[in-house]
Amino acid sequence: MNAAPIFAPPDTPCDLRGDRRPVDLVFLARQTGGDRDLEEEVLRLFSRQAAILGDDLRTVTDIEERKRHAHTLKGAAQAVGAFGLADRALRIESEPGDPAPVTALLREVETVRDYIASLLR
């Protein structure tokens, strides 16, 4: 683990406004009690889980299974503060037969994972 903190305080200037960040870091800090090591571990685990569920959603054809994967991803995304991703997963839950929400979700998964990777460097 890095000795230096990887997360900037909420009042630090940033090119990404809080409502545009793929992960709400203030929310995540509240969820983890401000424990930076725990934040890093949670983000690593979530990134892996999002990749796996995204791949599953890309290939699954059974509607009920698609809804289950989307529901799991939605809950995990909400837990870490990836609210945009959670919204995309909710749309799949609501419209499991439509392929368009899956495509949008897969793009959002990559955006969130890239953001997390940038934080963990």
PDB file of all heavy atoms in Angstrom, residues 70-111:
ATOM      1  N   ALA A  70     -27.588  -7.640 -12.972  1.00  0.00           N
ATOM      2  CA  ALA A  70     -27.767  -6.186 -12.900  1.00  0.00           C
ATOM      3  C   ALA A  70     -28.080  -5.754 -11.473  1.00  0.00           C
ATOM      4  O   ALA A  70     -27.560  -4.747 -10.986  1.00  0.00           O
ATOM      5  CB  ALA A  70     -28.870  -5.739 -13.856  1.00  0.00           C
ATOM      6  N   HIS A  71     -28.906  -6.528 -10.792  1.00  0.00           N
ATOM      7  CA  HIS A  71     -29.264  -6.213  -9.406  1.00  0.00           C
ATOM      8  C   HIS A  71     -28.034  -6.277  -8.499  1.00  0.00           C
ATOM      9  O   HIS A  71     -27.824  -5.396  -7.651  1.00  0.00           O
ATOM     10  CB  HIS A  71     -30.349  -7.172  -8.918  1.00  0.00           C
ATOM     11  CG  HIS A  71     -30.786  -6.903  -7.519  1.00  0.00           C
ATOM     12  ND1 HIS A  71     -31.629  -5.871  -7.200  1.00  0.00           N
ATOM     13  CD2 HIS A  71     -30.477  -7.515  -6.355  1.00  0.00           C
ATOM     14  CE1 HIS A  71     -31.830  -5.867  -5.887  1.00  0.00           C
ATOM     15  NE2 HIS A  71     -31.145  -6.858  -5.354  1.00  0.00           N
ATOM     16  N   THR A  72     -27.212  -7.289  -8.680  1.00  0.00           N
ATOM     17  CA  THR A  72     -25.992  -7.435  -7.886  1.00  0.00           C
ATOM     18  C   THR A  72     -25.046  -6.268  -8.138  1.00  0.00           C
ATOM     19  O   THR A  72     -24.501  -5.675  -7.194  1.00  0.00           O
ATOM     20  CB  THR A  72     -25.291  -8.768  -8.219  1.00  0.00           C
ATOM     21  OG1 THR A  72     -26.181  -9.841  -7.921  1.00  0.00           O
ATOM     22  CG2 THR A  72     -23.997  -8.928  -7.435  1.00  0.00           C
ATOM     23  N   LEU A  73     -24.876  -5.913  -9.397  1.00  0.00           N
ATOM     24  CA  LEU A  73     -23.996  -4.807  -9.744  1.00  0.00           C
ATOM     25  C   LEU A  73     -24.547  -3.489  -9.209  1.00  0.00           C
ATOM     26  O   LEU A  73     -23.795  -2.653  -8.701  1.00  0.00           O
ATOM     27  CB  LEU A  73     -23.786  -4.736 -11.253  1.00  0.00           C
ATOM     28  CG  LEU A  73     -22.801  -3.683 -11.749  1.00  0.00           C
ATOM     29  CD1 LEU A  73     -21.452  -3.811 -11.059  1.00  0.00           C
ATOM     30  CD2 LEU A  73     -22.646  -3.785 -13.258  1.00  0.00           C
ATOM     31  N   LYS A  74     -25.854  -3.307  -9.277  1.00  0.00           N
ATOM     32  CA  LYS A  74     -26.477  -2.086  -8.763  1.00  0.00           C
ATOM     33  C   LYS A  74     -26.185  -1.930  -7.269  1.00  0.00           C
ATOM     34  O   LYS A  74     -25.769  -0.859  -6.819  1.00  0.00           O
ATOM     35  CB  LYS A  74     -27.988  -2.111  -8.996  1.00  0.00           C
ATOM     36  CG  LYS A  74     -28.709  -0.882  -8.459  1.00  0.00           C
ATOM     37  CD  LYS A  74     -30.207  -1.008  -8.605  1.00  0.00           C
ATOM     38  CE  LYS A  74     -30.715  -1.985  -7.555  1.00  0.00           C
ATOM     39  NZ  LYS A  74     -32.166  -2.111  -7.522  1.00  0.00           N
ATOM     40  N   GLY A  75     -26.372  -2.982  -6.505  1.00  0.00           N
ATOM     41  CA  GLY A  75     -26.121  -2.916  -5.067  1.00  0.00           C
ATOM     42  C   GLY A  75     -24.668  -2.637  -4.733  1.00  0.00           C
ATOM     43  O   GLY A  75     -24.367  -1.824  -3.850  1.00  0.00           O
ATOM     44  N   ALA A  76     -23.772  -3.289  -5.435  1.00  0.00           N
ATOM     45  CA  ALA A  76     -22.339  -3.072  -5.189  1.00  0.00           C
ATOM     46  C   ALA A  76     -21.942  -1.645  -5.559  1.00  0.00           C
ATOM     47  O   ALA A  76     -21.186  -0.992  -4.830  1.00  0.00           O
ATOM     48  CB  ALA A  76     -21.515  -4.078  -5.982  1.00  0.00           C
ATOM     49  N   ALA A  77     -22.469  -1.156  -6.671  1.00  0.00           N
ATOM     50  CA  ALA A  77     -22.156   0.211  -7.109  1.00  0.00           C
ATOM     51  C   ALA A  77     -22.682   1.237  -6.106  1.00  0.00           C
ATOM     52  O   ALA A  77     -21.989   2.204  -5.771  1.00  0.00           O
ATOM     53  CB  ALA A  77     -22.729   0.459  -8.498  1.00  0.00           C
ATOM     54  N   GLN A  78     -23.877   1.035  -5.610  1.00  0.00           N
ATOM     55  CA  GLN A  78     -24.442   1.955  -4.615  1.00  0.00           C
ATOM     56  C   GLN A  78     -23.602   1.939  -3.343  1.00  0.00           C
ATOM     57  O   GLN A  78     -23.412   2.982  -2.714  1.00  0.00           O
ATOM     58  CB  GLN A  78     -25.884   1.573  -4.293  1.00  0.00           C
ATOM     59  CG  GLN A  78     -26.849   1.890  -5.407  1.00  0.00           C
ATOM     60  CD  GLN A  78     -28.238   1.328  -5.145  1.00  0.00           C
ATOM     61  OE1 GLN A  78     -28.406   0.318  -4.466  1.00  0.00           O
ATOM     62  NE2 GLN A  78     -29.238   1.985  -5.719  1.00  0.00           N
ATOM     63  N   ALA A  79     -23.097   0.796  -2.965  1.00  0.00           N
ATOM     64  CA  ALA A  79     -22.325   0.666  -1.727  1.00  0.00           C
ATOM     65  C   ALA A  79     -21.016   1.446  -1.765  1.00  0.00           C
ATOM     66  O   ALA A  79     -20.548   1.910  -0.727  1.00  0.00           O
ATOM     67  CB  ALA A  79     -22.049  -0.808  -1.429  1.00  0.00           C
ATOM     68  N   VAL A  80     -20.410   1.600  -2.950  1.00  0.00           N
ATOM     69  CA  VAL A  80     -19.143   2.327  -3.044  1.00  0.00           C
ATOM     70  C   VAL A  80     -19.313   3.760  -3.522  1.00  0.00           C
ATOM     71  O   VAL A  80     -18.346   4.519  -3.551  1.00  0.00           O
ATOM     72  CB  VAL A  80     -18.105   1.601  -3.946  1.00  0.00           C
ATOM     73  CG1 VAL A  80     -17.802   0.215  -3.419  1.00  0.00           C
ATOM     74  CG2 VAL A  80     -18.524   1.585  -5.393  1.00  0.00           C
ATOM     75  N   GLY A  81     -20.513   4.126  -3.929  1.00  0.00           N
ATOM     76  CA  GLY A  81     -20.743   5.488  -4.403  1.00  0.00           C
ATOM     77  C   GLY A  81     -20.633   5.659  -5.902  1.00  0.00           C
ATOM     78  O   GLY A  81     -20.503   6.780  -6.394  1.00  0.00           O
ATOM     79  N   ALA A  82     -20.717   4.572  -6.663  1.00  0.00           N
ATOM     80  CA  ALA A  82     -20.710   4.642  -8.125  1.00  0.00           C
ATOM     81  C   ALA A  82     -22.169   4.747  -8.602  1.00  0.00           C
ATOM     82  O   ALA A  82     -22.721   3.815  -9.185  1.00  0.00           O
ATOM     83  CB  ALA A  82     -20.013   3.424  -8.717  1.00  0.00           C
ATOM     84  N   PHE A  83     -22.765   5.886  -8.327  1.00  0.00           N
ATOM     85  CA  PHE A  83     -24.202   6.037  -8.520  1.00  0.00           C
ATOM     86  C   PHE A  83     -24.625   6.045  -9.988  1.00  0.00           C
ATOM     87  O   PHE A  83     -25.703   5.560 -10.323  1.00  0.00           O
ATOM     88  CB  PHE A  83     -24.704   7.277  -7.792  1.00  0.00           C
ATOM     89  CG  PHE A  83     -24.469   7.201  -6.311  1.00  0.00           C
ATOM     90  CD1 PHE A  83     -23.639   8.111  -5.674  1.00  0.00           C
ATOM     91  CD2 PHE A  83     -25.037   6.193  -5.553  1.00  0.00           C
ATOM     92  CE1 PHE A  83     -23.413   8.040  -4.312  1.00  0.00           C
ATOM     93  CE2 PHE A  83     -24.814   6.096  -4.191  1.00  0.00           C
ATOM     94  CZ  PHE A  83     -24.001   7.026  -3.571  1.00  0.00           C
ATOM     95  N   GLY A  84     -23.795   6.557 -10.872  1.00  0.00           N
ATOM     96  CA  GLY A  84     -24.110   6.511 -12.301  1.00  0.00           C
ATOM     97  C   GLY A  84     -24.182   5.077 -12.803  1.00  0.00           C
ATOM     98  O   GLY A  84     -25.078   4.711 -13.567  1.00  0.00           O
ATOM     99  N   LEU A  85     -23.260   4.259 -12.354  1.00  0.00           N
ATOM    100  CA  LEU A  85     -23.250   2.846 -12.720  1.00  0.00           C
ATOM    101  C   LEU A  85     -24.466   2.141 -12.136  1.00  0.00           C
ATOM    102  O   LEU A  85     -25.104   1.324 -12.817  1.00  0.00           O
ATOM    103  CB  LEU A  85     -21.956   2.187 -12.248  1.00  0.00           C
ATOM    104  CG  LEU A  85     -21.757   0.717 -12.585  1.00  0.00           C
ATOM    105  CD1 LEU A  85     -21.905   0.454 -14.078  1.00  0.00           C
ATOM    106  CD2 LEU A  85     -20.399   0.259 -12.100  1.00  0.00           C
ATOM    107  N   ALA A  86     -24.814   2.471 -10.906  1.00  0.00           N
ATOM    108  CA  ALA A  86     -26.000   1.881 -10.288  1.00  0.00           C
ATOM    109  C   ALA A  86     -27.258   2.230 -11.084  1.00  0.00           C
ATOM    110  O   ALA A  86     -28.130   1.381 -11.279  1.00  0.00           O
ATOM    111  CB  ALA A  86     -26.132   2.358  -8.844  1.00  0.00           C
ATOM    112  N   ASP A  87     -27.347   3.459 -11.559  1.00  0.00           N
ATOM    113  CA  ASP A  87     -28.497   3.870 -12.367  1.00  0.00           C
ATOM    114  C   ASP A  87     -28.572   3.074 -13.672  1.00  0.00           C
ATOM    115  O   ASP A  87     -29.645   2.671 -14.111  1.00  0.00           O
ATOM    116  CB  ASP A  87     -28.441   5.359 -12.685  1.00  0.00           C
ATOM    117  CG  ASP A  87     -28.693   6.235 -11.470  1.00  0.00           C
ATOM    118  OD1 ASP A  87     -29.206   5.724 -10.452  1.00  0.00           O
ATOM    119  OD2 ASP A  87     -28.362   7.438 -11.542  1.00  0.00           O
ATOM    120  N   ARG A  88     -27.423   2.834 -14.278  1.00  0.00           N
ATOM    121  CA  ARG A  88     -27.391   2.035 -15.530  1.00  0.00           C
ATOM    122  C   ARG A  88     -27.847   0.604 -15.249  1.00  0.00           C
ATOM    123  O   ARG A  88     -28.566   0.015 -16.046  1.00  0.00           O
ATOM    124  CB  ARG A  88     -26.002   2.032 -16.124  1.00  0.00           C
ATOM    125  CG  ARG A  88     -25.458   3.386 -16.424  1.00  0.00           C
ATOM    126  CD  ARG A  88     -25.499   3.669 -17.876  1.00  0.00           C
ATOM    127  NE  ARG A  88     -24.824   4.933 -18.131  1.00  0.00           N
ATOM    128  CZ  ARG A  88     -25.307   5.843 -18.950  1.00  0.00           C
ATOM    129  NH1 ARG A  88     -26.434   5.627 -19.576  1.00  0.00           N
ATOM    130  NH2 ARG A  88     -24.662   6.959 -19.154  1.00  0.00           N
ATOM    131  N   ALA A  89     -27.412   0.049 -14.140  1.00  0.00           N
ATOM    132  CA  ALA A  89     -27.813  -1.322 -13.785  1.00  0.00           C
ATOM    133  C   ALA A  89     -29.307  -1.390 -13.492  1.00  0.00           C
ATOM    134  O   ALA A  89     -29.981  -2.357 -13.872  1.00  0.00           O
ATOM    135  CB  ALA A  89     -27.006  -1.809 -12.580  1.00  0.00           C
ATOM    136  N   LEU A  90     -29.851  -0.368 -12.856  1.00  0.00           N
ATOM    137  CA  LEU A  90     -31.288  -0.316 -12.591  1.00  0.00           C
ATOM    138  C   LEU A  90     -32.086  -0.333 -13.888  1.00  0.00           C
ATOM    139  O   LEU A  90     -33.119  -1.003 -13.980  1.00  0.00           O
ATOM    140  CB  LEU A  90     -31.636   0.933 -11.779  1.00  0.00           C
ATOM    141  CG  LEU A  90     -33.119   1.177 -11.516  1.00  0.00           C
ATOM    142  CD1 LEU A  90     -33.724   0.023 -10.721  1.00  0.00           C
ATOM    143  CD2 LEU A  90     -33.309   2.506 -10.789  1.00  0.00           C
ATOM    144  N   ARG A  91     -31.586   0.338 -14.894  1.00  0.00           N
ATOM    145  CA  ARG A  91     -32.291   0.349 -16.188  1.00  0.00           C
ATOM    146  C   ARG A  91     -32.330  -1.057 -16.791  1.00  0.00           C
ATOM    147  O   ARG A  91     -33.329  -1.455 -17.381  1.00  0.00           O
ATOM    148  CB  ARG A  91     -31.641   1.330 -17.156  1.00  0.00           C
ATOM    149  CG  ARG A  91     -32.391   1.415 -18.450  1.00  0.00           C
ATOM    150  CD  ARG A  91     -32.189   2.698 -19.182  1.00  0.00           C
ATOM    151  NE  ARG A  91     -32.905   2.611 -20.451  1.00  0.00           N
ATOM    152  CZ  ARG A  91     -32.357   2.853 -21.616  1.00  0.00           C
ATOM    153  NH1 ARG A  91     -31.107   3.255 -21.692  1.00  0.00           N
ATOM    154  NH2 ARG A  91     -33.061   2.722 -22.721  1.00  0.00           N
ATOM    155  N   ILE A  92     -31.262  -1.818 -16.614  1.00  0.00           N
ATOM    156  CA  ILE A  92     -31.257  -3.199 -17.112  1.00  0.00           C
ATOM    157  C   ILE A  92     -32.255  -4.035 -16.332  1.00  0.00           C
ATOM    158  O   ILE A  92     -32.972  -4.854 -16.907  1.00  0.00           O
ATOM    159  CB  ILE A  92     -29.844  -3.816 -17.035  1.00  0.00           C
ATOM    160  CG1 ILE A  92     -28.925  -3.096 -18.020  1.00  0.00           C
ATOM    161  CG2 ILE A  92     -29.876  -5.316 -17.322  1.00  0.00           C
ATOM    162  CD1 ILE A  92     -27.474  -3.459 -17.886  1.00  0.00           C
ATOM    163  N   GLU A  93     -32.319  -3.832 -15.034  1.00  0.00           N
ATOM    164  CA  GLU A  93     -33.318  -4.537 -14.230  1.00  0.00           C
ATOM    165  C   GLU A  93     -34.727  -4.239 -14.734  1.00  0.00           C
ATOM    166  O   GLU A  93     -35.576  -5.119 -14.772  1.00  0.00           O
ATOM    167  CB  GLU A  93     -33.247  -4.106 -12.761  1.00  0.00           C
ATOM    168  CG  GLU A  93     -32.230  -4.816 -11.935  1.00  0.00           C
ATOM    169  CD  GLU A  93     -32.385  -4.468 -10.479  1.00  0.00           C
ATOM    170  OE1 GLU A  93     -32.111  -3.311 -10.092  1.00  0.00           O
ATOM    171  OE2 GLU A  93     -32.784  -5.367  -9.712  1.00  0.00           O
ATOM    172  N   SER A  94     -34.964  -2.993 -15.114  1.00  0.00           N
ATOM    173  CA  SER A  94     -36.285  -2.564 -15.570  1.00  0.00           C
ATOM    174  C   SER A  94     -36.591  -3.007 -16.995  1.00  0.00           C
ATOM    175  O   SER A  94     -37.742  -3.243 -17.339  1.00  0.00           O
ATOM    176  CB  SER A  94     -36.395  -1.038 -15.499  1.00  0.00           C
ATOM    177  OG  SER A  94     -36.156  -0.586 -14.207  1.00  0.00           O
ATOM    178  N   GLU A  95     -35.560  -3.084 -17.823  1.00  0.00           N
ATOM    179  CA  GLU A  95     -35.722  -3.429 -19.239  1.00  0.00           C
ATOM    180  C   GLU A  95     -34.730  -4.529 -19.630  1.00  0.00           C
ATOM    181  O   GLU A  95     -33.864  -4.317 -20.477  1.00  0.00           O
ATOM    182  CB  GLU A  95     -35.484  -2.192 -20.104  1.00  0.00           C
ATOM    183  CG  GLU A  95     -36.350  -1.003 -19.758  1.00  0.00           C
ATOM    184  CD  GLU A  95     -35.909   0.263 -20.470  1.00  0.00           C
ATOM    185  OE1 GLU A  95     -35.455   0.182 -21.625  1.00  0.00           O
ATOM    186  OE2 GLU A  95     -36.012   1.336 -19.864  1.00  0.00           O
ATOM    187  N   PRO A  96     -34.836  -5.709 -19.042  1.00  0.00           N
ATOM    188  CA  PRO A  96     -33.806  -6.739 -19.256  1.00  0.00           C
ATOM    189  C   PRO A  96     -33.724  -7.262 -20.687  1.00  0.00           C
ATOM    190  O   PRO A  96     -32.691  -7.804 -21.075  1.00  0.00           O
ATOM    191  CB  PRO A  96     -34.209  -7.850 -18.291  1.00  0.00           C
ATOM    192  CG  PRO A  96     -35.658  -7.658 -18.064  1.00  0.00           C
ATOM    193  CD  PRO A  96     -35.894  -6.179 -18.153  1.00  0.00           C
ATOM    194  N   GLY A  97     -34.750  -7.092 -21.477  1.00  0.00           N
ATOM    195  CA  GLY A  97     -34.717  -7.592 -22.851  1.00  0.00           C
ATOM    196  C   GLY A  97     -34.117  -6.616 -23.846  1.00  0.00           C
ATOM    197  O   GLY A  97     -33.836  -6.981 -24.984  1.00  0.00           O
ATOM    198  N   ASP A  98     -33.891  -5.387 -23.434  1.00  0.00           N
ATOM    199  CA  ASP A  98     -33.364  -4.352 -24.324  1.00  0.00           C
ATOM    200  C   ASP A  98     -31.839  -4.352 -24.257  1.00  0.00           C
ATOM    201  O   ASP A  98     -31.265  -4.157 -23.181  1.00  0.00           O
ATOM    202  CB  ASP A  98     -33.926  -2.994 -23.896  1.00  0.00           C
ATOM    203  CG  ASP A  98     -33.524  -1.860 -24.817  1.00  0.00           C
ATOM    204  OD1 ASP A  98     -32.784  -2.093 -25.792  1.00  0.00           O
ATOM    205  OD2 ASP A  98     -33.955  -0.721 -24.547  1.00  0.00           O
ATOM    206  N   PRO A  99     -31.135  -4.524 -25.385  1.00  0.00           N
ATOM    207  CA  PRO A  99     -29.671  -4.558 -25.351  1.00  0.00           C
ATOM    208  C   PRO A  99     -29.019  -3.185 -25.172  1.00  0.00           C
ATOM    209  O   PRO A  99     -27.873  -3.101 -24.737  1.00  0.00           O
ATOM    210  CB  PRO A  99     -29.290  -5.161 -26.701  1.00  0.00           C
ATOM    211  CG  PRO A  99     -30.452  -4.880 -27.585  1.00  0.00           C
ATOM    212  CD  PRO A  99     -31.669  -4.844 -26.711  1.00  0.00           C
ATOM    213  N   ALA A 100     -29.723  -2.107 -25.463  1.00  0.00           N
ATOM    214  CA  ALA A 100     -29.128  -0.769 -25.366  1.00  0.00           C
ATOM    215  C   ALA A 100     -28.634  -0.436 -23.963  1.00  0.00           C
ATOM    216  O   ALA A 100     -27.523   0.099 -23.814  1.00  0.00           O
ATOM    217  CB  ALA A 100     -30.108   0.289 -25.869  1.00  0.00           C
ATOM    218  N   PRO A 101     -29.407  -0.725 -22.909  1.00  0.00           N
ATOM    219  CA  PRO A 101     -28.885  -0.422 -21.564  1.00  0.00           C
ATOM    220  C   PRO A 101     -27.628  -1.219 -21.208  1.00  0.00           C
ATOM    221  O   PRO A 101     -26.794  -0.735 -20.451  1.00  0.00           O
ATOM    222  CB  PRO A 101     -30.043  -0.790 -20.635  1.00  0.00           C
ATOM    223  CG  PRO A 101     -31.259  -0.743 -21.472  1.00  0.00           C
ATOM    224  CD  PRO A 101     -30.805  -1.129 -22.845  1.00  0.00           C
ATOM    225  N   VAL A 102     -27.492  -2.406 -21.765  1.00  0.00           N
ATOM    226  CA  VAL A 102     -26.295  -3.215 -21.480  1.00  0.00           C
ATOM    227  C   VAL A 102     -25.069  -2.530 -22.077  1.00  0.00           C
ATOM    228  O   VAL A 102     -24.032  -2.411 -21.425  1.00  0.00           O
ATOM    229  CB  VAL A 102     -26.444  -4.659 -22.011  1.00  0.00           C
ATOM    230  CG1 VAL A 102     -25.151  -5.436 -21.834  1.00  0.00           C
ATOM    231  CG2 VAL A 102     -27.594  -5.360 -21.313  1.00  0.00           C
ATOM    232  N   THR A 103     -25.204  -2.039 -23.290  1.00  0.00           N
ATOM    233  CA  THR A 103     -24.090  -1.337 -23.940  1.00  0.00           C
ATOM    234  C   THR A 103     -23.684  -0.104 -23.137  1.00  0.00           C
ATOM    235  O   THR A 103     -22.498   0.132 -22.900  1.00  0.00           O
ATOM    236  CB  THR A 103     -24.487  -0.934 -25.374  1.00  0.00           C
ATOM    237  OG1 THR A 103     -24.831  -2.118 -26.100  1.00  0.00           O
ATOM    238  CG2 THR A 103     -23.357  -0.221 -26.082  1.00  0.00           C
ATOM    239  N   ALA A 104     -24.660   0.660 -22.684  1.00  0.00           N
ATOM    240  CA  ALA A 104     -24.375   1.855 -21.881  1.00  0.00           C
ATOM    241  C   ALA A 104     -23.729   1.470 -20.550  1.00  0.00           C
ATOM    242  O   ALA A 104     -22.793   2.133 -20.093  1.00  0.00           O
ATOM    243  CB  ALA A 104     -25.657   2.653 -21.648  1.00  0.00           C
ATOM    244  N   LEU A 105     -24.196   0.399 -19.943  1.00  0.00           N
ATOM    245  CA  LEU A 105     -23.624  -0.058 -18.677  1.00  0.00           C
ATOM    246  C   LEU A 105     -22.176  -0.478 -18.866  1.00  0.00           C
ATOM    247  O   LEU A 105     -21.320  -0.141 -18.045  1.00  0.00           O
ATOM    248  CB  LEU A 105     -24.430  -1.219 -18.097  1.00  0.00           C
ATOM    249  CG  LEU A 105     -23.831  -1.784 -16.813  1.00  0.00           C
ATOM    250  CD1 LEU A 105     -24.871  -1.872 -15.723  1.00  0.00           C
ATOM    251  CD2 LEU A 105     -23.200  -3.136 -17.060  1.00  0.00           C
ATOM    252  N   LEU A 106     -21.880  -1.191 -19.930  1.00  0.00           N
ATOM    253  CA  LEU A 106     -20.508  -1.639 -20.167  1.00  0.00           C
ATOM    254  C   LEU A 106     -19.557  -0.458 -20.331  1.00  0.00           C
ATOM    255  O   LEU A 106     -18.421  -0.495 -19.834  1.00  0.00           O
ATOM    256  CB  LEU A 106     -20.451  -2.568 -21.379  1.00  0.00           C
ATOM    257  CG  LEU A 106     -21.174  -3.903 -21.206  1.00  0.00           C
ATOM    258  CD1 LEU A 106     -21.197  -4.673 -22.520  1.00  0.00           C
ATOM    259  CD2 LEU A 106     -20.558  -4.728 -20.101  1.00  0.00           C
ATOM    260  N   ARG A 107     -20.015   0.602 -20.993  1.00  0.00           N
ATOM    261  CA  ARG A 107     -19.188   1.813 -21.113  1.00  0.00           C
ATOM    262  C   ARG A 107     -18.959   2.430 -19.734  1.00  0.00           C
ATOM    263  O   ARG A 107     -17.856   2.860 -19.414  1.00  0.00           O
ATOM    264  CB  ARG A 107     -19.853   2.829 -22.043  1.00  0.00           C
ATOM    265  CG  ARG A 107     -19.670   2.530 -23.512  1.00  0.00           C
ATOM    266  CD  ARG A 107     -20.044   3.704 -24.395  1.00  0.00           C
ATOM    267  NE  ARG A 107     -21.404   4.155 -24.167  1.00  0.00           N
ATOM    268  CZ  ARG A 107     -22.470   3.762 -24.850  1.00  0.00           C
ATOM    269  NH1 ARG A 107     -22.327   2.910 -25.842  1.00  0.00           N
ATOM    270  NH2 ARG A 107     -23.666   4.231 -24.567  1.00  0.00           N
ATOM    271  N   GLU A 108     -20.005   2.459 -18.920  1.00  0.00           N
ATOM    272  CA  GLU A 108     -19.886   3.040 -17.576  1.00  0.00           C
ATOM    273  C   GLU A 108     -18.976   2.192 -16.691  1.00  0.00           C
ATOM    274  O   GLU A 108     -18.213   2.735 -15.891  1.00  0.00           O
ATOM    275  CB  GLU A 108     -21.266   3.198 -16.945  1.00  0.00           C
ATOM    276  CG  GLU A 108     -21.262   3.945 -15.647  1.00  0.00           C
ATOM    277  CD  GLU A 108     -20.933   5.425 -15.762  1.00  0.00           C
ATOM    278  OE1 GLU A 108     -20.955   5.976 -16.875  1.00  0.00           O
ATOM    279  OE2 GLU A 108     -20.640   6.036 -14.718  1.00  0.00           O
ATOM    280  N   VAL A 109     -19.045   0.875 -16.826  1.00  0.00           N
ATOM    281  CA  VAL A 109     -18.140   0.001 -16.067  1.00  0.00           C
ATOM    282  C   VAL A 109     -16.695   0.365 -16.382  1.00  0.00           C
ATOM    283  O   VAL A 109     -15.861   0.499 -15.478  1.00  0.00           O
ATOM    284  CB  VAL A 109     -18.415  -1.497 -16.362  1.00  0.00           C
ATOM    285  CG1 VAL A 109     -17.259  -2.374 -15.888  1.00  0.00           C
ATOM    286  CG2 VAL A 109     -19.704  -1.950 -15.713  1.00  0.00           C
ATOM    287  N   GLU A 110     -16.376   0.547 -17.650  1.00  0.00           N
ATOM    288  CA  GLU A 110     -15.003   0.892 -18.034  1.00  0.00           C
ATOM    289  C   GLU A 110     -14.605   2.260 -17.496  1.00  0.00           C
ATOM    290  O   GLU A 110     -13.479   2.448 -17.028  1.00  0.00           O
ATOM    291  CB  GLU A 110     -14.831   0.832 -19.554  1.00  0.00           C
ATOM    292  CG  GLU A 110     -14.847  -0.582 -20.092  1.00  0.00           C
ATOM    293  CD  GLU A 110     -13.856  -1.498 -19.364  1.00  0.00           C
ATOM    294  OE1 GLU A 110     -12.666  -1.133 -19.216  1.00  0.00           O
ATOM    295  OE2 GLU A 110     -14.265  -2.583 -18.922  1.00  0.00           O
ATOM    296  N   THR A 111     -15.523   3.210 -17.536  1.00  0.00           N
ATOM    297  CA  THR A 111     -15.239   4.545 -16.995  1.00  0.00           C
ATOM    298  C   THR A 111     -14.937   4.467 -15.505  1.00  0.00           C
ATOM    299  O   THR A 111     -13.955   5.050 -15.020  1.00  0.00           O
ATOM    300  CB  THR A 111     -16.438   5.486 -17.237  1.00  0.00           C
ATOM    301  OG1 THR A 111     -16.633   5.624 -18.648  1.00  0.00           O
ATOM    302  CG2 THR A 111     -16.221   6.849 -16.619  1.00  0.00           C
TER     303      THR A 111
END
